[in-house]
Amino acid sequence: MTHTLKTWQKPSITPHQLGTLNKFGRPVGGDYVEKIDGVAVDDLLRDYGSPLFVLSEKRLRDNIRQLKRAFESRYQPVIHAWSYKTNYLNAVCATLHQEGSWAEVVSAFEYEKARALGVPASRILFNGPHKKRAILERCVKEGARIHIDNLDELYLLDAIARELDIFTSVTIRLNFETGYTEAWSRFGFNLESGAAFDAAIRIGNSSHLKLRGLHSHVGTFILDTRAYQVEVEKLCDFMELIEQQAHALIDSLDIGGGFASQNAVQGLYLPTEQVVPTMSQYADAICSTLITKTAQREAQGKPRLTLILESGRAVVDDAEVLISSVVGSKRLPDGRASYIMDAGVNLLFTAFWYNHKVKPTRSLQGIAEETVLYGPLCMNIDIVRQSISLPPLSVGDSLVISPVGAYNNTQWLQFIEYRPAIVMVHENGEVSVIRRAENLADINSFESLPDHLNGQFNFSE
Amino acid sequence: MNTQHHPEHPLDSFLAVYSDSLKRLALNDSGFVFDPMSGQSFTVNPCGLELLKLMQKQADVTLIEQQILQEFAVSADVLERNFLEFSEQLRRYLK
Ligand SMILES: Cc1ncc(COP(=O)(O)O)c(C=O)c1O
């Protein structure tokens, strides 16, 4: 029998909502992502497997250039320091260092990673609450800029600088109320309580430490630019105070990170484009306040302050996607469609607070309906999307999840699954593996088995 | 044509129980489905519509599947899997 067979699509029936047309009954088949920076998703999956993280070098460079332009057109000099914890893949860091970004690290590991990549210590800002003597000694010898978090660290650093007899410029981290953000009061010295002032005086009395920088990081995913205005005002007021009373001459104000990315925070119902300020709006708020607050200081002939930014997620988030494939489907008892994906919260830590965009990689036929996307873990919390409108999917269908560039490749878990490969699409369209997929030998290489536990397993017949 | 009954087919019991409910459904070719018992209306996609029409005509799962396999580019495995899931949806909606 020879006749052409009709195309099959998974049968599905969707009830109409009472009164209105089904809110999910809108065909979305046209909305799909076939290529990433010109490279076919199918080719990527064939060559590198699923799931797969894909980074766009072009997008990353565009983002950092846009940030620099927004700020430098309003104020100079500006330094962007790349917040390693946001994404410390070497290829990401190297791209940003090529664009002129310094390194902002928060642990000995991150410091070593930046140094191993070839970043000079003088271009590293060392933040964070945990710095042991050995790494502090190394930083002092190599000349990194240490951001002091607490009094114990201050005394230890002072002792080290004296022992090594090295004059060391330092920054202190401050925390305070902005009125627009939750105070991150566990990091740095509190302004309102006077702890910050005491620390500045203490450094002023040190023979080897010089207080040159003030730093604060007022939060993350900050949607109200007024938070930054208050931050800059408070930093400037404090600077004036300590320059008068604590023999300090400040060379830089580091306002931390916190600019939001185009990602949908759970519980926030307005479209992201409506709530996330543009880079120009952030830059306006920050630079205009800074210029006003430092005009008098400049008139006195003091050196112009360097503005340091540590923006993380806004730079890298939308430069990376995760491609994941459907491995199974299930109708939930309440009628919703659900799918099991080969990537879950093990790879997508940010699924706990974002509703990521999820797009099919081909035009899907059928009526979109309310759908839950589960990951592969044997855990209830492993949900990629709690509720999303998708047409019926089949096993093997792939989905592009975005944006995923911030915090996923650093906070991911090696829990019951291997972590997959990460590739970068370069500006010329070439693709390279920037982190290969894990295998059993990798994981086992950390372990050793005591001799008497090797074999002789005693299974009953 | 093989008309032998396969008693182990998981959809047999579904069709046995739901054949009356299925028969009363009003279908039109654009995929609009109306259940006069509950007053509920639905949208069904083209392949779902095909299955509904076949199920209204007969309660023999094997025959329905053979009909589909002759007309559509789908493997027997995928069809059975999809058919099962479709029946799960119908079970819930046709209560
Ligand atoms: C000190 C510091 N700088 C920069 C960042 C980067 O923040 P974001 O990704 O919100 O820009 C963080 C994040 O927690 C931080 O703690």
Side-chain angles (χ1 to χ4, degrees):
Chain A
M1 196 166 52
T2 57
H3 67 266
T4 36
L5 294 172
K6 290 188 257 180
T7 315
W8 177 254
Q9 46 169 269
K10 191 170 164 176
S12 175
I13 183 166
T14 319
H16 296 157
Q17 308 275 294
L18 275 181
T20 58
L21 205 65
N22 178 7
K23 63 176 166 164
F24 296 111
R26 173 175 51 97
V28 297
D31 197 11
Y32 60 97
V33 181
E34 225 176 1
K35 290 179 176 178
I36 295 163
D37 276 13
V39 183
V41 171
D42 285 348
D43 292 350
L44 289 168
L45 290 179
R46 183 199 60 217
D47 294 347
Y48 306 104
S50 175
L52 180 70
F53 282 98
V54 185
L55 260 151
S56 162
E57 182 184 341
K58 179 176 184 316
R59 188 50 155 291
L60 188 56
R61 289 187 191 273
D62 284 351
N63 287 351
I64 186 63
R65 286 174 193 172
Q66 199 192 338
L67 178 142
K68 292 280 257 311
R69 217 178 304 121
F71 280 86
E72 286 179 341
S73 60
R74 291 169 172 86
Y75 184 89
Q76 287 185 20
V78 174
I79 288 171
H80 175 254
W82 176 237
S83 156
Y84 263 45
K85 71 170 102 49
T86 308
N87 189 324
Y88 46 58
L89 291 165
N90 286 335
V92 168
C93 299
T95 304
L96 293 167
H97 296 322
Q98 283 187 349
E99 293 291 334
S101 297
W102 292 20
E104 186 262 335
V105 304
V106 291
S107 64
F109 160 71
E110 285 191 348
Y111 184 83
E112 286 163 11
K113 204 163 194 291
R115 294 288 291 123
L117 190 59
V119 181
S122 63
R123 298 293 180 266
I124 298 179
L125 311 178
F126 195 166
N127 253 311
H130 173 210
K131 309 181 189 86
K132 291 207 170 83
R133 175 178 262 270
I135 193 67
L136 283 175
E137 280 179 2
R138 181 172 173 190
C139 290
V140 169
K141 283 184 200 153
E142 295 185 340
R145 175 66 72 93
I146 295 161
H147 290 200
I148 302 174
D149 178 78
N150 58 68
L151 272 184
D152 293 312
E153 191 179 305
L154 197 165
Y155 280 87
L156 178 58
L157 187 60
D158 191 29
I160 290 169
R162 272 186 283 120
E163 281 162 30
L164 296 172
D165 196 18
I166 297 174
F167 294 100
T168 305
S169 295
V170 297
T171 292
I172 51 174
R173 177 156 176 177
L174 310 177
N175 69 68
F176 42 77
E177 299 288 340
T178 68
Y180 298 99
T181 48
E182 228 171 273
W184 282 32
S185 50
R186 56 162 291 198
F187 301 108
F189 299 94
N190 185 256
L191 200 62
E192 290 89 359
S193 72
F197 184 74
D198 294 344
I201 295 287
R202 176 63 189 79
I203 296 169
N205 293 336
S206 159
S207 58
H208 283 73
L209 300 185
K210 296 267 164 286
L211 180 54
R212 304 301 308 276
L214 299 179
H215 170 227
S216 185
H217 171 79
V218 294
T220 193
F221 216 90
I222 294 170
L223 296 172
D224 194 328
T225 58
R226 287 174 297 181
Y228 287 104
Q229 287 174 329
V230 175
E231 180 188 15
V232 172
E233 280 167 9
K234 293 212 170 183
L235 287 174
C236 287
D237 289 345
F238 183 70
M239 171 176 67
E240 241 173 70
L241 179 72
I242 59 166
E243 285 192 335
Q244 283 167 12
Q245 301 191 19
H247 318 289
L249 182 61
I250 298 302
D251 66 6
S252 57
L253 291 188
D254 180 339
I255 61 160
F259 303 157
S261 61
Q262 293 287 332
N263 220 329
V265 180
Q266 289 168 10
L268 202 99
Y269 294 102
L270 289 169
T272 28
E273 312 81 59
Q274 277 178 36
V275 291
V276 173
T278 61
M279 207 40 89
S280 298
Q281 288 170 322
Y282 284 121
D284 252 345
I286 291 160
C287 297
S288 59
T289 314
L290 184 59
I291 289 166
T292 314
K293 293 293 285 187
T294 55
Q296 202 183 350
R297 187 177 184 277
E298 285 202 20
Q300 293 165 355
K302 287 191 181 163
R304 195 153 226 243
L305 294 169
T306 298
L307 171 64
I308 301 177
L309 309 165
E310 299 176 349
S311 180
R313 71 175 73 243
V315 171
V316 77
D317 216 4
D318 70 359
E320 188 171 0
V321 302
L322 172 61
I323 311 172
S324 175
S325 306
V326 175
V327 295
S329 60
K330 215 173 263 184
R331 263 295 143 196
L332 297 179
D334 64 9
R336 284 175 303 164
S338 79
Y339 298 96
I340 303 153
M341 313 290 302
D342 60 8
V345 295
N346 52 327
L347 305 183
L348 205 63
F349 207 77
T350 52
F352 290 130
W353 56 88
Y354 284 156
N355 288 327
H356 291 99
K357 271 181 239 150
V358 176
K359 295 213 170 153
T361 58
R362 62 181 177 88
S363 169
L364 290 175
Q365 301 306 310
I367 302 141
E369 58 176 318
E370 185 174 3
T371 302
V372 191
L373 298 178
Y374 292 114
L377 310 182
C378 305
M379 302 168 81
N380 248 338
I381 56 163
D382 189 20
I383 297 170
V384 174
R385 281 298 303 268
Q386 183 66 255
S387 171
I388 181 171
S389 169
L390 284 173
L393 300 168
S394 308
V395 169
D397 272 336
S398 49
L399 296 173
V400 173
I401 302 166
S402 68
V404 307
Y407 299 103
N408 290 302
N409 294 148
T410 47
Q411 292 187 297
W412 55 357
L413 307 170
Q414 193 275 307
F415 173 66
I416 74 171
E417 297 277 342
Y418 298 115
R419 284 172 293 195
I422 305 174
V423 298
M424 183 181 249
V425 181
H426 302 296
E427 288 183 294
N428 63 5
E430 273 173 30
V431 179
S432 54
V433 176
I434 59 170
R435 193 184 196 273
R436 69 161 170 78
E438 290 173 347
N439 59 42
L440 183 60
D442 294 329
I443 313 298
N444 272 343
S445 71
F446 295 114
E447 300 191 32
S448 16
L449 194 61
D451 279 345
H452 69 286
L453 297 179
N454 198 348
Q456 298 175 352
F457 297 151
N458 189 15
F459 301 122
S460 52
E461 295 293 301
Chain B
M1 203 186 257
N2 175 16
T3 53
Q4 220 184 311
H5 199 66
H6 293 253
E8 76 279 13
H9 198 297
L11 280 162
D12 284 341
S13 67
F14 166 74
L15 279 184
V17 174
Y18 282 86
S19 97
D20 285 345
S21 320
L22 288 164
K23 279 186 184 129
R24 74 177 185 233
L25 294 179
L27 312 177
N28 83 11
D29 280 343
S30 62
F32 184 83
V33 179
F34 180 68
D35 181 350
M37 285 293 279
S38 64
Q40 174 75 56
S41 61
F42 306 85
T43 300
V44 67
N45 69 356
C47 293
L49 181 63
E50 201 63 34
L51 282 174
L52 282 180
K53 284 182 180 168
L54 288 168
M55 285 189 286
Q56 288 190 330
K57 270 188 242 155
Q58 62 202 341
D60 186 326
V61 181
T62 314
L63 282 181
I64 294 173
E65 289 188 341
Q66 278 173 358
Q67 188 76 35
I68 295 285
L69 291 173
Q70 276 173 20
E71 278 182 47
F72 288 88
V74 60
S75 71
D77 276 359
V78 170
L79 173 59
E80 183 174 308
R81 175 82 185 79
N82 287 174
F83 199 172
L84 261 177
E85 194 176 318
F86 189 55
S87 75
E88 285 165 24
Q89 277 191 296
L90 292 170
R91 251 182 232 276
R92 189 171 40 252
Y93 297 141
L94 299 185
K95 258 179 211 146

